[in-house]
Amino acid sequence: SSEVLEAIENVIQDVLKSLAQKKAPVLTVANRSVWRNIEFKDSVGLQMVPRCTTKHIRSDCPRSAHKFALMLKILSMIYKMVQSNTYATKRDIYYSDTLLFGSQSIVDNIINDISCMLKIPRRSLHILSTTKGFVAGNLSYTEEDGTNVNCTCSATVCIIKHLNRKDLISHAKFMLIVEKDATFQRLLDDDFCNKMSPCIMITGRGIPDLNTRLFIRKLQDTFQMPIFTLMDADPHGVEIMCVYKYGSLSMSFEAHHLTVPSIKWLGLLPSDLVRLNIHKDALIPFTKQDQNKLASIQKRPYIACQPMWKKELEIMAASKLKAEIQVLTSLSSDYLSRVYLPNKLQFGGWI
């Protein structure tokens, strides 16, 4: 807490010094939106380079003065919360003055800029993400407030909330990250966690929030178990898997706490669609957006060191067709849990 308060005080002192010298105060933040500020390392994923290019948020420039004011406003809110040991979600901050902030995305972006500028992880700023991730399977733990949570019971879903859990206990043999809530629920209904060897199942319900990513990293650090992903065979699914494995451009300054480079791509692979003779009528044609997204992913630095991934993306690009995991129901209603996943896990059908 004292580190956070000191870091904020240093920023404010610089603002006051500029004012005392009759200069317009400026806040300097790393440019988190350009690939030249990112380097790729196998062991970490995407991380910000030490001497990255920066942006100046000036108080005397019409284009940035409003953002300058918003950054000071949120810094003062963080300072008060750290002092009083209270917490707020990003949503709480936005709704404290919707007219001032304008949109939730503006608040989210400023919070990430502040975290990067102060070089302090976001969770230490007393700002919580609105949690959307679910976990089920062979796992129990104690919450910070002493509540015992057991995810092992059949069809139990625990919401991934705070990270300060103790006494993590699991006899799981592997972890399965599922892209969508619908597939996650279907696997729960089919009692997948118990029918296969004990496992932990997690979904971030689309693009994962910070808590879900931190939670997966915590489980990996604790149990060192194999982690597999089950995503749609489309550019969006691949993008989500890359966020879990290698991180994202905008959060690259926190890569060391968030990425899990050991994650494997279990399915749905574009080559599976050919191998399983999925009828073309069950597949969805690419949109222009899909083509652009796939082309962007193919240029990413980590694809070069993943020849099998490269091949799968080439199959997808050549066919210009995509498929949701639900396409497997065209083979049989329980094909995913009864045939597809058991065979893949048993015979090593991942890359």
Side-chain angles (χ1 to χ4, degrees):
S1 295
S2 59
E3 272 181 46
V4 180
L5 296 176
E6 190 181 339
I8 295 173
E9 285 162 9
N10 289 339
V11 171
I12 302 306
Q13 278 179 344
D14 287 343
V15 169
L16 293 174
K17 271 184 203 165
S18 297
L19 290 170
Q21 293 164 7
K22 295 192 167 43
K23 290 179 186 171
V26 175
L27 296 173
T28 304
V29 298
N31 192 339
R32 296 182 294 109
S33 60
V34 292
W35 280 98
R36 68 175 175 274
N37 279 344
I38 306 299
E39 62 182 0
F40 171 68
K41 280 192 176 174
D42 265 351
S43 58
V44 181
L46 301 174
Q47 61 178 10
M48 194 164 270
V49 295
R51 289 184 180 83
C52 62
T53 58
T54 55
K55 297 185 292 187
H56 297 303
I57 315 296
R58 302 188 60 86
S59 59
D60 62 344
C61 168
R63 282 175 59 197
S64 61
H66 184 60
K67 183 171 181 179
F68 180 92
L70 295 186
M71 286 185 77
L72 288 192
K73 167 77 172 169
I74 292 176
L75 278 168
S76 76
M77 293 172 84
I78 293 167
Y79 194 85
K80 284 173 191 165
M81 287 191 296
V82 173
Q83 270 189 323
S84 59
N85 196 29
T86 53
Y87 289 81
T89 64
K90 294 186 295 181
R91 204 164 175 74
D92 293 334
I93 289 174
Y94 168 59
Y95 279 107
S96 70
D97 199 330
T98 53
L99 282 177
L100 176 68
F101 292 120
S103 76
Q104 183 69 61
S105 61
I106 288 172
V107 171
D108 296 353
N109 190 47
I110 286 175
I111 288 166
N112 285 339
D113 274 339
I114 286 172
S115 176
C116 187
M117 177 178 75
L118 300 179
K119 294 183 170 54
I120 289 168
R122 198 173 77 195
R123 60 197 173 282
S124 300
L125 302 178
H126 285 226
I127 295 173
L128 308 170
S129 296
T130 307
T131 296
K132 57 178 187 153
F134 289 157
V135 56
N138 195 292
L139 176 70
S140 60
Y141 53 84
T142 308
E143 287 277 17
E144 196 178 12
D145 62 3
T147 309
N148 291 316
V149 179
N150 186 358
C151 310
T152 308
C153 313
S154 181
T156 296
V157 174
C158 304
I159 296 174
I160 298 165
K161 290 189 288 191
H162 312 304
L163 193 72
N164 296 326
R165 298 178 173 85
K166 299 173 292 200
D167 312 322
L168 284 159
I169 299 168
S170 178
H171 303 291
K173 299 288 183 247
F174 65 91
M175 199 187 312
L176 182 66
I177 299 171
V178 182
E179 178 185 349
K180 287 181 182 164
D181 188 25
T183 309
F184 179 85
Q185 299 294 342
R186 179 62 205 251
L187 289 171
L188 272 183
D189 292 345
D190 291 348
D191 202 19
F192 177 77
C193 291
N194 294 324
K195 281 179 182 169
M196 283 296 296
S197 53
C199 70
I200 297 169
M201 237 176 22
I202 288 175
T203 180
R205 298 162 76 199
I207 296 167
D209 59 275
L210 189 67
N211 286 348
T212 303
R213 293 178 62 193
L214 285 165
F215 185 62
I216 290 169
R217 175 60 186 265
K218 171 89 170 172
L219 291 177
Q220 173 61 4
D221 289 345
T222 306
F223 300 114
Q224 300 290 311
M225 67 178 78
I227 305 179
F228 304 106
T229 57
L230 180 62
M231 305 280 153
D232 288 340
D234 66 12
H236 189 64
V238 174
E239 174 83 280
I240 289 170
M241 174 176 57
C242 291
V243 169
Y244 282 113
K245 186 176 173 76
Y246 293 127
S248 61
L249 186 65
S250 65
M251 293 294 287
S252 57
F253 64 95
E254 270 214 66
H256 285 276
H257 311 290
L258 293 171
T259 58
V260 186
S262 61
I263 284 173
K264 305 292 182 198
W265 186 4
L266 185 73
L268 188 63
L269 300 179
S271 60
D272 290 338
L273 303 175
V274 180
R275 181 175 59 83
L276 297 172
N277 278 322
I278 302 291
H279 201 275
K280 283 204 170 178
D281 290 349
L283 304 178
I284 307 160
F286 262 25
T287 62
K288 183 68 180 163
Q289 195 178 8
D290 290 325
Q291 284 179 280
N292 294 340
K293 170 73 77 180
L294 183 57
S296 155
I297 292 169
Q298 286 177 301
K299 291 176 191 160
R300 305 260 172 94
Y302 41 73
I303 298 300
C305 68
Q306 291 280 4
M308 300 293 282
W309 281 32
K310 193 166 181 256
K311 201 176 287 184
E312 292 293 336
L313 297 184
E314 284 165 359
I315 293 169
M316 196 188 290
S319 73
K320 292 188 179 166
L321 293 168
K322 58 184 181 177
E324 296 185 335
I325 297 160
Q326 285 83 347
V327 78
L328 296 176
T329 57
S330 66
L331 301 172
S332 76
S333 62
D334 60 350
Y335 191 85
L336 175 65
S337 58
R338 184 176 54 83
V339 181
Y340 182 82
L341 288 175
N343 283 350
K344 283 238 164 187
L345 291 161
Q346 189 176 347
F347 300 114
W350 58 81
I351 57 174

